[in-house]
């Protein structure tokens, strides 16, 4: 049995052009007619189909927004691209509804509850209001998402924020059948042309529609109505055309109002990051370098865009990590001019290996988790204030291990055949006393292994040493050497853990 999540976007145009519609009397006009309105506008008497003059008379404080098909489609594409993070089987259905087949994604995201919360967080990051539903069939999920419930009364044309209720979660077929039977018959688009005839015969719900003789129902309606009804109840296969990510990522947002604070920049840039992560998941890739361009005034007062470079030491496509990295960079940014648009450019990506599913995971987290912490520290303090160990191709221990500015490691390594190296090296070798022909460091040191001869550095002072592994009476092991240029004197150079 499959698991579907339907995401019904209530109105992308209103979310894009008037993000504060929940607190305002917002109205979307289409050719001088009301297309949709917010709950506050509905309470004043504004209705779909009303002219602008009637809106101004009933609600003078209403914020009128002109419907834009391009903005509407751009918002739908942005939502589809961002939701590709969770499944490649994503389809666009009627009434601005996206259908996600998440059957193969449940174990990856820790179950349906966690996955559902992740999808809700993505929609919130995109600033899109949506009504979601979970069902065992795509048609059933679509119906539960598009039809308002008693807990979320939304008259036609009135946008309300709808939270997830138990009535929108039907993971088993028998519970889905009972929930669908209570829905109105006109919830199916194919049944709306025959709504008057169905009302006359007392068929007001999908359950009653199922009880009608199929042959007679097909003669009086259409074959599409029976197909849609069977698909919703899981009696016929459902075929969709899946949405695929474009070959190149182009993320850009034109702002309705100027932005003058970095907090607002972070909120808008989060929408671009969600789209980027969906695009990366669709191509099974991860990003290491990108740039956020903050565009300013054009025309006579034009200013060049402000670039904000973002770099991750390890490939990532986690929107939470990228957002945290962006916020750290924004803390150090001072806007020199208002921002009117933003664009996200991807400079370097690479293929990402599948996430390992270890039987015994490391309790300290994966190396990627630890590297993400380092990325945040670098963004907060700067690369010149954070050091990391770096190897150099030199046989002298004090030269082979050095500190360098944090960043991508450029290691020119060399292997040591048969040699042991201690965990700690002294900053400067410590001369040792010799008693009874043995080196002395608190107690006599007994030689266990050696010598290992190292001769190097002829260009800046010849180094000639014989290294030994020694142990004291307490069992602590040391790394010693004899300097052949200083009459075989003993020196302590390192301590083993």
């Amino acid at each position: 049995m499959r698991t579907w999540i339907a995401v019904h976007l209530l109105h992308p145009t209103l979310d894009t052009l008037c993000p504060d519609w929940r607190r305002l009397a917002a109205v979307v006009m289409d050719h001088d007619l009301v297309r949709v309105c917010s709950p506050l506008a509905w309470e004043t008497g504004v209705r779909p189909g009303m002219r602008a003059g009637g809106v101004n008379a009933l609600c003078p404080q209403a914020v009128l927004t002109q419907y834009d098909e391009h903005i509407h489609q751009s918002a739908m594409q942005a939502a589809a691209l961002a939701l590709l993070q969770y499944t490649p089987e994503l389809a666009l259905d009627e009434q601005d509804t996206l259908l996600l087949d998440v059957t193969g994604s449940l174990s990856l995201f820790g179950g349906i509850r966690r996955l559902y919360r992740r999808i809700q967080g993505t929609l919130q990051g995109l600033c899109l209001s949506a009504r979601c539903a979970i069902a065992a069939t795509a048609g059933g999920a679509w119906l539960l998402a598009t039809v308002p419930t008693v807990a979320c009364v939304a008259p036609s044309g009135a946008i309300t924020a709808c939270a997830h209720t138990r009535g929108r979660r039907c993971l088993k077929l028998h519970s889905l059948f009972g929930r669908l039977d209570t829905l109105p018959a006109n919830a199916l688009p194919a049944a709306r042309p025959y709504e008057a005839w169905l009302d006359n015969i007392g068929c007001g719900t999908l359950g009653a529609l199922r009880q009608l003789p199929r042959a007679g129902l097909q003669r009086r309606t259409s074959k599409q109505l029976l197909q849609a009804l069977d698909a919703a109840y899981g009696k016929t296969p459902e075929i969709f055309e899946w949405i695929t990510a474009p070959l190149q990522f182009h993320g850009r947002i034109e702002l309705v109002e100027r932005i003058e604070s970095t907090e607002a920049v972070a909120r808008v840039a989060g929408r671009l990051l969600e789209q980027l992560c969906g695009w990366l998941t669709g191509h099974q890739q991860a990003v290491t370098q990108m740039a956020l361009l903050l565009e300013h005034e054009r025309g006579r007062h034009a200013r060049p865009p402000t670039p904000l470079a973002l770099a991750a030491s390890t490939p990532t496509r986690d929107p939470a990590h990228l957002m945290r990295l962006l916020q750290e960079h924004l803390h150090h940014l001072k806007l020199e001019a208002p921002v009117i648009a933003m664009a996200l450019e991807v400079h370097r990506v690479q293929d990402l290996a599948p996430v390992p599913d270890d039987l015994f995971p490391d309790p300290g987290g994966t190396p990627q988790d630890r590297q993400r912490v380092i990325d945040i520290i670098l963004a907060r303090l700067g690369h010149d204030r954070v050091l990391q160990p770096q190897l150099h191709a030199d046989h002298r221990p004090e030269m082979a291990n050095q500190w360098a500015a944090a960043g991508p490691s450029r290691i020119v390594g060399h292997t040591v055949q048969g040699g042991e190296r201690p965990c700690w090296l002294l900053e400067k070798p410590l001369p040792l006393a010799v008693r009874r022909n043995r080196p002395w460091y608190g107690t006599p040191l007994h030689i266990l292994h050696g010598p290992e001869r190292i001769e190097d550095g002829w260009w800046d002072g010849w180094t000639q040493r014989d290294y030994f592994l020694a142990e004291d009476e307490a069992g602590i092991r040391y790394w010693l050497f004899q300097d052949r240029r200083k009459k075989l004197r003993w020196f302590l150079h390192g301590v083993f853990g």
Side-chain angles (χ1 to χ4, degrees):
M1 187 173 64
R2 310 195 71 82
T3 303
W4 292 82
I5 297 181
V7 178
H8 173 55
L9 301 183
L10 297 178
H11 204 283
T13 303
L14 197 58
D15 290 323
T16 303
L17 298 180
C18 187
D20 295 332
W21 59 264
R22 295 172 181 83
R23 300 185 292 103
L24 300 174
V27 179
V28 176
M29 306 297 298
D30 188 6
H31 297 90
D32 200 37
L33 297 178
V34 176
R35 182 182 180 92
V36 69
C37 62
S38 67
L40 292 179
W42 181 274
E43 293 176 358
T44 62
V46 179
R47 297 293 183 269
M50 186 178 294
R51 293 189 176 275
V55 175
N56 292 329
L58 293 173
C59 187
Q61 72 276 14
V63 178
L64 302 183
T65 303
Q66 190 63 32
Y67 175 74
D68 191 328
E69 181 66 23
H70 176 71
I71 293 178
H72 185 96
Q73 295 300 328
S74 298
M76 293 297 303
Q77 294 173 6
L81 190 59
L83 293 178
L84 283 175
Q85 300 177 67
Y86 307 109
T87 176
E89 297 179 344
L90 171 66
L92 177 62
D93 209 351
E94 299 179 88
Q95 297 185 17
D96 299 334
T97 304
L98 296 166
L99 297 175
L100 294 82
D101 185 357
V102 297
T103 307
S105 306
L106 297 181
S107 60
L108 178 62
F109 292 95
I112 186 61
R113 295 178 182 272
R114 292 186 178 179
L115 176 58
Y116 181 80
R117 287 193 293 267
R118 287 282 299 270
I119 291 177
Q120 281 189 321
T122 298
L123 295 172
Q124 185 179 2
L126 293 172
C127 300
L128 294 175
S129 56
R131 188 186 301 134
C132 304
I134 308 173
T137 64
W142 183 90
L143 286 170
L144 295 179
T146 55
V147 177
T149 61
V150 177
C152 178
V153 179
S156 177
I159 302 243
T160 59
C162 176
H164 179 68
T165 61
R166 293 185 62 86
R168 300 189 187 277
R169 185 188 305 156
C170 299
L171 297 177
K172 297 182 179 179
L173 283 178
H174 69 273
S175 61
L176 176 62
F177 292 171
R179 181 68 185 89
L180 294 180
D181 286 344
T182 62
L183 298 181
N186 61 3
L188 285 175
R192 291 169 189 170
Y194 315 100
E195 184 176 357
W197 175 72
L198 293 174
D199 289 340
N200 291 334
I201 63 175
C203 182
T205 63
L206 293 180
L209 189 62
R210 293 175 60 203
Q211 302 300 322
L212 296 178
R214 294 181 61 88
L217 181 60
Q218 182 173 348
R219 287 196 304 269
R220 289 171 174 79
T221 56
S222 64
K223 184 178 180 181
Q224 290 74 19
L225 175 59
L226 291 178
Q227 291 176 347
L229 190 65
D230 291 341
Y233 283 85
K235 295 182 179 180
T236 185
E238 300 170 290
I239 301 176
F240 298 98
E241 182 178 355
W242 305 123
I243 297 175
T244 58
L247 296 179
Q248 300 293 330
F249 178 78
H250 301 285
R252 190 173 184 276
I253 295 179
E254 288 278 353
L255 302 177
V256 181
E257 298 178 351
R258 290 179 171 86
I259 289 180
E260 300 182 359
S261 66
T262 56
E263 292 80 5
V265 170
R267 288 195 297 269
V268 178
R271 296 156 58 183
L272 293 174
L273 292 178
E274 291 285 357
Q275 299 176 43
L276 172 63
C277 292
W279 179 82
L280 292 170
T281 305
H283 290 283
Q284 294 298 309
Q285 292 180 330
V287 65
T288 56
Q289 293 183 4
M290 57 184 179
L292 179 66
L293 299 181
L294 307 180
E295 301 180 13
H296 305 294
E297 294 290 343
R298 304 187 183 96
R300 289 187 303 174
H301 304 286
R303 298 177 62 95
T306 300
L308 190 63
L310 302 175
S313 54
T314 57
T316 181
R317 61 186 183 203
D318 182 11
H321 175 60
L322 293 177
M323 188 63 188
R324 180 71 182 277
L325 194 63
L326 173 64
Q327 289 175 343
E328 293 295 339
H329 282 281
L330 288 175
H331 287 326
H332 306 285
L333 178 66
K334 182 178 180 180
L335 293 177
E336 298 181 356
V339 180
I340 63 174
M342 297 185 197
L344 186 63
E345 296 181 351
V346 178
H347 294 163
R348 182 175 297 177
V349 297
Q350 66 183 61
D351 296 336
L352 186 65
V355 179
D357 190 11
D358 297 335
L359 180 61
F360 301 104
D362 186 358
T366 63
Q368 292 78 9
D369 294 333
R370 293 188 285 272
Q371 194 61 47
R372 289 172 184 172
V373 177
I374 296 177
D375 289 340
I376 299 302
I377 296 175
L378 291 175
R380 182 174 298 179
L381 302 179
H383 289 260
D384 55 340
R385 298 185 179 181
V386 181
L387 302 179
Q388 68 178 7
Q390 190 159 0
L391 297 179
H392 292 268
D394 199 306
H395 291 282
R396 293 171 293 178
E398 64 273 16
M399 302 300 296
N401 301 276
Q402 296 184 3
W403 292 96
S409 298
R410 297 183 300 274
I411 299 176
V412 184
H414 64 282
T415 58
V416 179
Q417 301 294 336
E420 295 187 53
R421 293 295 181 264
C423 299
W424 294 280
L425 282 180
L426 276 66
E427 185 175 355
K428 185 177 180 181
L430 178 66
L432 298 178
V434 178
R435 299 180 182 179
R436 297 180 182 179
N437 296 325
R438 290 183 181 276
W440 188 279
Y441 186 63
T443 63
L445 300 181
H446 303 277
I447 304 300
L448 300 180
H449 299 290
E452 176 191 350
R453 179 161 294 181
I454 294 179
E455 294 185 358
D456 203 351
W458 56 267
W459 54 91
D460 59 355
W462 191 263
T463 298
Q464 298 177 349
R465 300 171 183 170
D466 289 336
Y467 278 88
F468 298 86
L469 177 63
E471 186 179 68
D472 64 4
E473 295 180 352
I476 302 176
R477 294 191 174 189
Y478 301 91
W479 204 35
L480 316 177
F481 71 84
Q482 278 186 311
D483 194 336
R484 296 167 54 213
R485 301 182 64 206
K486 296 183 180 180
K487 300 180 181 180
L488 299 179
R489 290 187 60 186
W490 286 96
F491 293 85
L492 173 63
H493 202 181
V495 182
F496 287 89

